[in-house]
Amino acid sequence: MSFMYRFIGYALLLLAFSCQKSDQDTISPDYPDWYTVKAPIDEEIFGVWGDYNKTLLISTITSVFRSTDQGKNWQKVTQPTASVFGFLMYRDTLFAFDGLITRNGLAQSMTNASKFSTDDGLTWQQYRRYNRDLDAFENTDDSPLAISPVKSASGEVYAINRVYLDPPTQSTRRFETPGIITQTNRRIDLPQLHQIRGLYLDAQQRLYIAGTDAVCGRGHSGENFFFCNSKSGRGVVYISKRPQP
């Protein structure tokens, strides 16, 4: 009988170890074509702005963070009343936008400038003035407020690639976003599957791809994602090592 108890004990111990989550992050900080940075809190990343080698801003559901060391350390610089979906530097002022417009079911642009900064995102103030230029941007085909698709200096267009899991006849269609697709149908897939939220091209024409943690599966209903390294999908930004054409 004692042997049986020992056997059960070993079996339960083995089961406990097999159920423990691995401490190893599945996302590498450095891939052959990409650098990555991660949110400092357990929230996905919506917006990104700046330069990987200088000053970088990211926005999560609740906060805006700033880094000057390639995402190794982050400083919370503002906690807006609504989620910030992205940023735009216009002349010498950086604006944060808390609204999102979807056109034709795919194209997405920022709207409603809610805060502004004159020191590259270090300090922020409420934005209440009326700016005709910002409003006019919302109605242009090549709007600088776009987060997907975005256009490079050479005219190439990059859009979030939505791969639908349900037939077109279904009213609400689930989709995954394995990467980016260009206007010439060139696919740029990421090393892992993420739900991508926004795109950005810096002054060097490097592509930034912001989104959730890596996706490892779905719930029984197929609606909810399981994330590989975090419960709520701690955000990741991929930064291309080379300028995009």
Side-chain angles (χ1 to χ4, degrees), residues 28 34-35 38 43 53 59-60 63 105 111 114 141 165 174 178 180 201 214 245:
S28 170
W34 305 95
Y35 302 112
K38 301 166 195 172
E43 294 179 357
N53 300 111
S59 61
T60 69
S63 305
T111 185
S114 58
D141 291 336
L165 307 176
R174 299 168 302 155
I180 305 304
L201 287 160

Side-chain angles (χ1 to χ4, degrees), residues 136-147:
F137 286 151
E138 295 181 7
N139 300 314
T140 60
D141 291 336
D142 298 328
S143 173
L145 299 178
I147 59 173

Side-chain angles (χ1 to χ4, degrees), residues 97-224:
F97 294 80
D98 64 10
L100 197 63
I101 299 174
T102 301
R103 294 186 175 92
N104 303 321
L106 291 174
Q108 291 187 312
S109 297
M110 303 177 291
T111 185
N112 191 37
S114 58
K115 289 198 170 190
F116 74 96
S117 171
T118 56
D119 52 11
D120 286 344
L122 183 60
T123 60
W124 293 86
Q125 301 177 58
Q126 291 297 123
Y127 178 72
R128 297 186 178 90
R129 293 180 298 163
Y130 175 74
N131 189 315
R132 291 186 177 182
D133 291 339
L134 293 182
D135 291 340
F137 286 151
E138 295 181 7
N139 300 314
T140 60
D141 291 336
D142 298 328
S143 173
L145 299 178
I147 59 173
S148 179
V150 294
K151 182 180 285 190
S152 70
S154 66
E156 180 68 286
V157 175
Y158 299 86
I160 298 171
N161 185 21
R162 292 188 177 186
V163 177
Y164 288 93
L165 307 176
D166 302 306
T169 53
Q170 194 161 316
S171 57
T172 302
R173 301 175 66 193
R174 299 168 302 155
F175 62 87
E176 294 177 340
T177 55
I180 305 304
I181 192 165
T182 71
Q183 63 183 353
T184 55
N185 290 322
R186 177 169 64 96
R187 284 185 54 156
I188 306 173
D189 288 344
L190 295 177
Q192 295 199 65
L193 178 64
H194 299 259
Q195 285 302 95
I196 299 171
R197 302 305 187 201
L199 309 178
Y200 167 72
L201 287 160
D202 68 11
Q204 300 179 49
Q205 299 302 293
R206 292 179 298 186
L207 182 62
Y208 296 62
I209 303 174
T212 67
D213 184 16
V215 175
C216 282
R218 288 180 175 268
H220 293 298
S221 63
E223 298 297 330
N224 298 320

